[in-house]
Amino acid sequence: MVTVESPARLLIGGEWRSGQEEKTFDIVEPATSEVMARAAVASPTDVDRAVKAAREAFEGGAWSDAPASARAKVLYKIAELIRADVDRLATLEARNAGKPIRDARDEVLGAAQCFEYYAGAATRIFGETIPVTAPGLDFTLREPVGVVALIVPWNFPLTIASWKVAPALAAGNAAILKPASYTPLTALELGRIALEAGLPEGVLNVITGPGATTGNALAGHPGVDKIAFTGETLTGVSILQQAAPNITRVSLELGGKSPNIIFQDADLEKAVPAAVNSVFGNAGQDCCARSRAFVHRSIAEEFDQRVAAGSRQLTLGDPLDPATEIGPLISMKQRERVQAYVEVGQREGARMLSGGSAPGGALARGSYLEPTVFDRADNRMRIAQEEIFGPVLTIIPFDDEDEVLRLVNDTPYGLSGSIWTRDIGRALRVARGVKTGVLSINSSRSVHQEAPFGGYKRSGIGRELGMHALQLYTEVKNVFVSLE
Ligand code: NDP
């Protein structure tokens, strides 16, 4: 058994403690299916302790009342410590999440950048002055919400944890971070780094354990003022239900079935590799994956064949090998789920152009799956409607702009998407018609540290990143001063 140094501890109130019930669970390395570490199970009592520790830290004021510039210094220090440890953190993330080391390295550096951004933003959280009718001065204050629960998934573990922890702390909140059970290791590292950077004890607590018990106890805890969640849409529904009795504020980043729209005048030299990378990156386990490609019928056969050829050229391999482009899926269970969709696609009558199988040889012990391309699909098929969260692309032909807009929006999701055309008028018309929170034109980029990110419809509530994220972590207080 390969092991990494693992504390199997919870970070509560600045101390590393075993869970109250002393239970642990295995962390499996997806590339080898071997146990690489163990993590502690936080019981409802541990969750309660974490919430109380966060409340105490928040009310104590060492962080929430500190000058914003002092908070900024600590956030900068966290970024510096992440950067200094990039190789170790990237290796840990690559092994734990099965992602190629070069992607893991970019993600760790992205996490550092996120803390730098919110270090700068901390001193830019302003209120407004409002010209009211009554004789007096009216102004607003932006105050921290209080104790925030941050529940994150396994596909981009440190990235998504940072998207929540950094703005929450910048605004002066105290936080409890609950990583996904598949991938808790870098979240625990983030807790360690935050303490080392001088964050007061109890301001960031990290608890591990199953969503059904630990996550559930956290989301339903009356001492939590706000929940920020990223994960599956159905889990988002459950979070809303748990939050309702306490009127806990909730923001949700959920699933997607993002469209990639390729018009007949698109630059295929760019659109083809982008179509391949934007669905097969992170082995397709990406909420923004362009998993539905809509291609104009006049170029469909050429586009489909080129995309299938591109997908066959991707290098599957050991996540720690710098040449690897696609790692394993997060687990054997996830691979089975995706393979079931491959069978569904075949039964539904789409044409499978490439992939579909689990590779053998040295990769057989990991949860790998070949990038799979279906074309000649119909938007009503399950492979076009349901989030597969794996390396499966569904290509659907279209004839005109009106038709493609109707098809693109015919989904319960609304997270991201791309439009490829050289006609600027068409690009802007279609961009206005697509019901998603994030769009790119002649690009497949969805995420910018400085710009809002989030979904329409069943893809979520609220916007993360940029200055928009600070709205999630602050309350607005209106103050009127009589001048009579
Ligand atoms: P899940 O919803 O299963 O889990 C997400 C987190 O919630 C995990 O920490 C999980 O814990 C926890 N959790 C599970 N059940 C509960 C519960 N009842 N109460 C409280 N917490 C709970 O999602 P996945 O981890 O499977 O992540 C994949 C999903 O995330 C995909 O659907 C994807 O589209 C979405 N996603 C969305 C993004 C966006 O920004 N819109 C970005 C990235 C992913 P545990 O791991 O222990 O089960």
Side-chain angles (χ1 to χ4, degrees):
M1 179 173 83
V2 189
T3 53
V4 292
E5 198 182 318
S6 162
R9 295 276 188 278
L10 311 168
L11 176 59
I12 298 179
E15 283 175 22
W16 293 98
R17 313 175 182 185
S18 305
Q20 172 234 2
E21 294 169 353
E22 307 260 339
K23 285 190 192 154
T24 60
F25 60 98
D26 291 342
I27 312 298
V28 174
E29 188 170 8
T32 61
S33 303
E34 287 185 21
V35 174
M36 67 180 284
R38 292 207 165 77
V41 174
S43 68
T45 306
D46 294 314
V47 171
D48 188 53
R49 284 183 187 149
V51 173
K52 286 191 173 126
R55 175 65 57 196
E56 214 171 287
F58 180 72
E59 301 294 345
W63 183 252
S64 51
D65 291 341
S69 57
R71 292 204 296 269
K73 270 192 192 146
V74 175
L75 296 180
Y76 274 126
K77 186 69 188 173
I78 293 176
E80 192 187 315
L81 293 173
I82 292 174
R83 279 188 194 283
D85 218 3
V86 57
D87 290 331
R88 200 177 61 83
L89 290 170
T91 303
L92 198 57
E93 194 84 310
R95 288 185 60 197
N96 189 184
K99 57 179 73 221
I101 186 73
R102 55 188 185 182
D103 296 346
R105 210 182 143 77
D106 285 349
E107 288 174 29
V108 172
L109 293 174
Q113 195 201 358
C114 181
F115 278 94
E116 284 157 358
Y117 179 87
Y118 287 106
T123 53
R124 289 161 183 80
I125 303 175
F126 321 121
E128 307 155 283
T129 54
I130 301 172
V132 294
T133 307
L137 174 68
D138 192 278
F139 63 92
T140 61
L141 297 171
R142 297 273 296 275
E143 299 184 336
V145 177
V147 171
V148 299
L150 313 174
I151 304 178
V152 297
W154 43 258
N155 55 344
F156 296 100
L158 184 62
T159 303
I160 295 177
S162 303
W163 289 10
K164 295 182 178 2
V165 172
L169 297 187
N173 297 283
I176 300 136
L177 172 63
K178 199 216 86 66
S181 297
Y182 283 128
T183 56
L185 300 179
T186 48
L188 292 162
E189 288 291 327
L190 183 59
R192 180 187 62 72
I193 286 171
L195 279 182
E196 195 182 327
L199 190 73
E201 292 180 351
V203 173
L204 177 61
N205 304 275
V206 185
I207 58 171
T208 49
T213 52
T214 310
N216 198 65
L218 183 60
H221 198 293
V224 169
D225 299 304
K226 188 231 156 27
I227 303 165
F229 170 80
T230 299
E232 250 183 89
T233 294
L234 280 179
T235 317
V237 172
S238 156
I239 297 273
L240 284 172
Q241 286 165 342
Q242 292 158 61
N246 303 314
I247 320 284
T248 308
R249 281 108 185 89
V250 177
S251 52
L252 303 172
E253 300 287 358
L254 306 174
K257 192 73 186 174
S258 295
N260 195 13
I261 309 170
I262 298 100
F263 284 99
Q264 56 275 38
D265 62 345
D267 179 352
L268 293 189
E269 293 302 315
K270 291 185 180 151
V272 168
V276 172
N277 295 327
S278 64
V279 66
F280 298 129
N282 212 42
Q285 302 163 121
D286 180 346
C287 52
C288 291
R290 305 299 194 269
S291 52
R292 291 184 301 160
F294 294 91
V295 58
H296 192 269
R297 202 176 299 275
S298 64
I299 56 163
E301 189 59 26
E302 181 194 356
F303 176 85
D304 300 0
Q305 295 295 349
R306 285 174 68 172
V307 166
S311 75
R312 283 184 217 105
Q313 280 162 13
L314 292 169
T315 308
L316 274 68
D318 176 354
L320 297 182
D321 182 341
T324 294
E325 293 171 293
I326 308 286
L329 299 183
I330 192 67
S331 65
M332 290 293 183
K333 191 172 155 215
Q334 181 72 3
R335 184 174 74 181
E336 278 167 27
R337 183 174 173 269
V338 177
Q339 279 180 311
Y341 274 108
V342 172
E343 285 166 25
V344 166
Q346 287 169 302
R347 274 204 307 276
E348 285 179 316
R351 177 174 69 162
M352 194 165 80
L353 280 181
S354 62
S357 307
L363 301 185
R365 62 196 187 131
S367 39
Y368 291 86
L369 185 65
E370 290 169 351
T372 305
V373 176
F374 283 105
D375 78 344
R376 300 185 187 171
D378 184 298
N379 197 50
R380 282 164 298 184
M381 290 177 177
R382 282 183 61 201
I383 56 165
Q385 284 291 318
E386 297 174 20
E387 185 180 45
I388 298 175
F389 224 58
V392 180
L393 172 63
T394 303
I395 309 181
I396 301 160
F398 71 88
D399 291 303
D400 62 47
E401 217 175 288
D402 288 344
E403 182 196 12
V404 77
L405 265 180
R406 187 174 48 73
L407 294 173
V408 159
N409 290 329
D410 181 16
T411 162
Y413 295 111
L415 187 56
S416 188
S418 293
I419 300 163
W420 296 84
T421 174
R422 289 185 169 99
D423 178 338
I424 187 69
R426 171 152 59 199
L428 296 178
R429 268 195 314 277
V430 175
R432 285 187 65 174
V434 174
K435 302 275 182 282
T436 64
V438 183
L439 263 182
S440 49
I441 296 172
N442 296 329
S443 161
S444 51
R445 272 179 173 272
S446 297
V447 172
H448 307 268
Q449 177 57 61
E450 306 80 3
F453 175 81
Y456 282 26
K457 303 197 272 185
R458 288 176 71 86
S459 288
I461 302 174
R463 294 293 178 272
E464 297 197 301
L465 297 177
M467 297 305 278
H468 283 73
L470 295 166
Q471 291 172 11
L472 303 179
Y473 298 103
T474 50
E475 288 280 15
V476 176
K477 180 180 281 172
N478 191 68
V479 182
F480 174 72
V481 186
S482 170
L483 297 181
E484 280 181 296

